[in-house]
Amino acid sequence: MKADPSPRPKILILVSGEGSNLQALIEASRERDYPADIVAVGSNQAKAPALAKAAHANIPTFVIEHGRYGSRDEFDGALMQEIRRHNPDLIVLAGFMRILTEGFVRALRGQLLNIHPSLLPKYTGLNTHQRALDAGDKVHGVSVHFVTEELDGGPIVAQAQIAVGPDDSAETLAQKVQAQEHVLYPIVVRWCCEGRVQLGAERVLFDGQALRQPVVLPAN
């Protein structure tokens, strides 16, 4: 008699906007050898176009509108209740435009993954593409990191680089970076679901070894 196969890891994705990274993750999850299932997509915006992408893929959705709560703690409490209902192994922030409270992040340590449009630790926060141009950077890019209490400051798993050309604008850089996001995020999510990537006490562990530097995709 064959042993029952191990249950596949469950992914829950949080979104606020268009959902281009969500779509990339949905498409990756349809690959025959993909190691996990997207079990739900949640948003703080009832009209987020990303929800329609999830529904089109027959993925359950939920909405926790932040404007209906008097504090961040109340919103995070409602969000946590919905997350617990789905019991995911990994929570992927894909354009989720809310700053999560420290208690929420601590409770889900090692389960929260985020993507940020800069080569962290450079340019945390907003307007990253213009800031890269203003600094005269020749290389820009995107980072995938575990979420900790420090905004955009969690341990970095991997980065993808792009070359900054003399004619680039913030808009063209955004397009280049987004194209790399769609490549990098599904790769890192796969690694997490395969158990290759974990958050250790202080560093990211890759295949059981502490990463001293993020995995980097070359500039293009």
Side-chain angles (χ1 to χ4, degrees):
M1 180 181 295
K2 291 184 179 180
D4 291 337
S6 300
R8 287 162 59 85
K10 296 186 290 186
I11 302 168
L12 184 146
I13 301 176
L14 297 177
V15 297
S16 294
E18 292 291 331
S20 69
N21 275 310
L22 168 65
Q23 188 62 44
L25 290 164
I26 289 172
E27 291 172 6
S29 73
R30 291 171 173 165
E31 297 172 4
R32 291 185 62 183
D33 65 341
Y34 200 76
D37 297 312
I38 301 173
V39 297
V41 173
S43 181
N44 64 313
Q45 299 283 356
K47 296 182 180 180
L51 294 173
K53 290 181 171 65
H56 183 72
N58 296 316
I59 299 171
T61 63
F62 65 88
V63 176
I64 307 291
E65 292 188 280
H66 62 272
R68 297 190 176 188
Y69 296 89
S71 69
R72 286 185 176 176
D73 284 326
E74 291 178 7
F75 169 78
D76 281 6
L79 180 59
M80 180 68 80
Q81 186 175 13
E82 188 67 26
I83 287 171
R84 296 299 191 200
R85 187 171 73 84
H86 292 282
N87 192 30
D89 298 286
L90 184 68
I91 301 153
V92 178
L93 308 185
F96 187 61
M97 303 303 291
R98 295 292 298 169
I99 296 176
L100 300 167
T101 58
E102 292 185 2
F104 182 97
V105 171
R106 282 196 299 268
L108 295 172
R109 186 183 187 278
Q111 291 181 269
L112 285 165
L113 205 63
N114 189 37
I115 193 163
H116 183 75
S118 79
L119 295 175
L120 293 171
K122 282 188 172 183
Y123 316 130
T124 62
L126 302 175
N127 302 318
T128 60
H129 310 307
Q130 187 60 53
R131 290 158 69 190
L133 288 172
D134 292 344
D137 291 352
K138 301 302 183 185
V139 177
H140 187 40
V142 58
S143 305
V144 176
H145 65 95
F146 282 103
V147 178
T148 62
E149 294 91 335
E150 181 183 356
L151 178 65
D152 299 330
I156 303 165
V157 180
Q159 296 177 322
Q161 300 178 350
I162 60 152
V164 180
D167 298 326
D168 270 320
S169 65
E171 291 74 21
T172 60
L173 285 185
Q175 293 170 1
K176 290 181 179 180
V177 167
Q178 188 176 73
Q180 290 303 301
E181 290 176 8
H182 298 166
V183 174
L184 183 65
Y185 218 2
I187 291 173
V188 176
V189 170
R190 174 187 281 271
W191 287 342
C192 290
C193 293
E194 290 174 338
R196 300 189 65 191
V197 166
Q198 298 172 319
L199 180 59
E202 296 181 359
R203 296 178 184 268
V204 173
L205 302 179
F206 193 101
D207 291 340
Q209 301 296 315
L211 279 183
R212 298 193 177 277
Q213 298 291 335
V215 178
V216 178
L217 272 63
N220 58 50

